[in-house]
Amino acid sequence: MIVLDGLLGLGAKHLLREPVRTAAQEINRLRREEHAFVFAVDMPTGLDGDTGETDPDCVVADCTITIGNAKHGLVVDSAINFVGRLEIVPLADLVITPSPANDLIACAHSLRAWLPPRRFSAYKNEFGRIGVVAGSQGFIGAALMTTEGALRAGAGLVELFVPKEIYPIVAAAAPAEAMVKPVRSYRDLLEEKIDVWALGPGLGTGEAKDLLRLIERATAPMVVDADGLNILSGDVEVLKRCAGPRLVTPHPGEMKRLFDSGKMSRAGTAKNFAETFPVTLLYKGARTIVAERERPLSYNSTGNPGMATGGMGDVLTGVCAGLVGQGLTLYDAARLGAWACGRAAEIAIFEKGESQQSLLPRDVLANLGGAFTELQR
């Protein structure tokens, strides 16, 4: 069952009156009891487009289709569970007033330019040599998913560096397209010729000193995730003196360890972090935020609750690194990577028969091609 919610216009405030309140209650009943899929037109009834405030009977939408641009109230923290998936319908001839917060929504038509068709004469060295530093005993899956994420995102070459004690296992399980190399000391990696690093998934913190040195001194761009972030949380000031550009990709728990901003909103936390540290931030969540100093906040529009499972961030780390290897800035790679992974998850559910319960990171990997193809269309 599909229900369209278009009860009120854009100028309506969040407090509902009859008979609209009763209609909103019935839409929510149908969603709750009959599992109806609710589409909201422009915004859910009962949500204030300017502030994100909601009526107690605000319609809970699974997908909100908004016209022209996203109103600021659609992306605030309190609105996430009422807005659901956010899709923007662009209207070329419509004059749009910019959002008060100058925020951006990452969606297909705004990201398409960052993934142009490849020249017919293209060769692998044009698309980056990615160095993945990931995995430890008991956590080889993280290394494998990060590696395949980079490959599926279009990296030219991917090298996976793992501790020598797990090398035989990883070498046997890794994608055939990747080069797996044993590491005696992470300090030695500073001598490797790598275009982009992806560091952290499944690493553990046993070699924190050497890994922190690699994070600080590597001159190539680096995507830092998972245990890389846990290591950084012990000396976050390192981010102010890194030798190369850094993209950090924390989930809420990791963000709190890196930069505890108290009860500040996710957007406020992201802005403050980006002002404090000269790095790019990909703040994971139901509406992933990308922040960078002197750049507008960017909110991701794709994804679903099925992605709330271990390993999704490992895939994203690899995808972002693979995109940076193809010439994208960290900011653009973060926006595009989050969009592609979220869209791949949607394709897996709506086109390939998965559910929010059954969705796995491998399903995202398998459907990245469909997401990139859709973007280029």
Side-chain angles (χ1 to χ4, degrees):
M1 179 187 297
I2 293 176
V3 176
L4 296 180
D5 166 31
L7 294 171
L8 296 176
L10 176 60
K13 296 302 179 182
H14 66 284
L15 295 177
L16 299 178
R17 294 181 292 182
E18 294 294 354
V20 174
R21 180 179 298 279
T22 297
Q25 291 172 339
E26 177 62 9
I27 290 174
N28 287 335
R29 186 196 69 78
L30 289 170
R31 182 180 183 274
R32 183 177 60 251
E33 298 179 10
E34 305 294 334
H35 299 282
F37 196 95
V38 178
F39 286 92
V41 179
D42 220 33
M43 65 182 57
T45 296
L47 186 143
D48 190 307
D50 294 325
T51 66
E53 293 179 279
T54 56
D55 184 272
D57 291 312
C58 181
V59 167
V60 178
D62 295 287
C63 179
T64 297
I65 301 173
T66 192
I67 312 301
N69 72 342
K71 292 69 186 172
H72 181 64
L74 293 173
V75 297
V76 300
D77 293 351
S78 60
I80 288 174
N81 287 325
F82 296 93
V83 173
R85 168 69 152 90
L86 183 58
E87 181 70 19
I88 299 177
V89 178
L91 296 177
D93 297 327
L94 184 65
V95 178
I96 299 296
T97 302
S99 163
N102 196 29
D103 301 322
L104 296 175
I105 300 295
C107 50
H109 66 268
S110 66
L111 299 173
R112 184 171 292 117
W114 303 118
L115 203 66
R118 293 183 172 185
R119 294 183 302 111
F120 196 77
S121 60
Y123 67 107
K124 62 187 177 185
N125 288 353
E126 294 180 341
F127 304 119
R129 181 183 290 266
I130 312 303
V132 176
V133 185
S136 60
Q137 198 153 8
F139 297 95
I140 68 168
L144 299 176
M145 287 185 285
T146 303
T147 299
E148 188 167 353
L151 288 165
R152 295 283 183 180
L157 292 164
V158 179
E159 299 183 31
L160 171 57
F161 298 91
V162 297
K164 63 182 187 305
E165 60 268 22
I166 65 170
Y167 169 77
I169 303 172
V170 176
E177 299 84 358
M179 294 170 281
V180 184
K181 299 185 176 181
V183 176
R184 294 185 181 277
S185 170
Y186 290 116
R187 287 175 294 181
D188 298 338
L189 296 183
L190 287 169
E191 307 301 319
E192 295 287 339
K193 294 181 179 180
I194 294 295
D195 296 318
V196 184
W197 292 100
L199 181 148
L203 266 181
T205 56
E207 303 294 331
K209 184 177 179 180
D210 287 346
L211 288 165
L212 195 63
R213 181 180 178 183
L214 180 60
I215 293 170
E216 179 180 0
R217 298 190 181 183
T219 56
M222 180 182 290
V223 183
V224 185
D225 184 31
D227 284 323
L229 299 173
N230 293 330
I231 290 168
L232 271 173
S233 66
D235 187 8
V236 72
E237 293 297 307
V238 163
L239 290 176
K240 294 182 178 179
R241 54 180 188 269
C242 289
R246 300 293 181 258
L247 167 61
V248 295
T249 63
H251 59 53
E254 292 162 342
M255 189 68 196
K256 189 172 184 179
R257 291 191 287 274
L258 275 179
F259 190 73
D260 190 356
S261 57
K263 295 183 178 179
M264 189 174 292
S265 68
R266 294 175 71 243
T269 298
K271 287 178 180 177
N272 280 0
F273 185 89
E275 287 300 319
T276 304
F277 300 103
V279 301
T280 306
L281 171 69
L282 188 158
Y283 190 3
K284 291 181 284 198
R287 193 83 68 211
T288 290
I289 298 174
V290 177
E292 189 176 283
R293 189 179 295 175
E294 298 181 357
R295 301 291 295 269
L297 287 188
S298 176
Y299 295 86
N300 189 42
S301 63
T302 58
N304 57 62
M307 299 182 77
T309 190
M312 293 291 181
D314 305 330
V315 173
L316 176 61
T317 296
V319 169
C320 289
L323 291 171
V324 175
Q326 295 167 79
L328 276 72
T329 66
L330 296 181
Y331 180 81
D332 292 328
R335 296 179 71 218
L336 180 53
W339 183 92
C341 288
R343 184 64 189 127
E346 293 170 352
I347 292 170
I349 288 178
F350 292 108
E351 298 181 21
K352 300 300 175 66
E354 299 302 333
S355 69
Q356 291 184 1
Q357 292 75 24
S358 71
L359 186 71
L360 294 173
R362 72 184 70 167
D363 300 314
V364 171
L365 286 166
N367 289 287
L368 278 169
F372 287 129
T373 297
E374 182 177 304
L375 189 72
Q376 291 170 320
R377 285 203 303 263

